[in-house]
Amino acid sequence: MKALMRMFAQRRDRRLLDRFFARYQGRTLIVHQGLTLDWLEELLKLGGGGGHFRIDIRQPPSRHSPVLWLAHRFILPLDLPLPVLCDVGPTTIAIRHLRSAGRLCHPADIAWILEDMRVRARVHATLSRHSHRLTAGLGLAVCDNTFEMDLGG
């Protein structure tokens, strides 16, 4: 009976992961527990700032929402300071928190952080897909959230 239950759970998880990656591959998510109105206004003023999907984890996980299910089941257990920036690839999710010295970064810094994640692979964690599950790999120490700005010089 346990094997049958495990098989159904694996099938459900595979479907949820399929739906998540089909919807969010090539996109960025900001997973948070509420953001201030001032911060959101600054984010939306930036070119492309509105292109980040903002996922509020104060909403309970749902089997109807693969992104909330994934955030609650895989991202929150990483125990990183919120909010986190998630860069979704075909089978991986690179994750980096948006705090430095205990403060939330300015929205303008997100482009530099994202470049640092993509070019230098400086991430706090990576979730890698293997069939019906995600496995976590750790990277930067939580206290390390510096990034380099490429000023084209």
Side-chain angles (χ1 to χ4, degrees), residues 72-147:
H72 282 271
R73 180 152 181 206
F74 296 101
I75 295 173
L76 288 181
L78 295 171
D79 203 27
L80 293 170
L82 294 177
V84 294
L85 181 65
C86 302
D87 188 21
V88 182
T91 59
T92 61
I93 305 166
I95 303 169
R96 184 143 164 197
H97 71 77
L98 296 176
R99 295 197 169 270
S100 183
R103 302 178 75 191
L104 182 58
C105 75
H106 189 276
D109 293 338
I110 291 176
W112 299 112
I113 293 169
L114 192 55
E115 179 179 324
D116 204 41
M117 291 169 68
R118 291 176 175 167
V119 173
R120 294 170 196 86
R122 288 180 39 84
V123 298
H124 290 106
T126 303
L127 296 174
S128 301
R129 183 173 183 180
H130 303 280
S131 181
H132 63 277
R133 61 189 166 87
L134 291 174
T135 56
L138 299 179
L140 296 172
V142 172
C143 61
D144 182 359
N145 210 21
T146 60
F147 56 92

Side-chain angles (χ1 to χ4, degrees), residues 58-74:
R58 294 177 296 182
Q59 298 177 50
S62 165
R63 63 187 168 106
H64 302 293
S65 173
V67 70
L68 282 172
W69 168 81
L70 187 132
H72 282 271
R73 180 152 181 206
F74 296 101

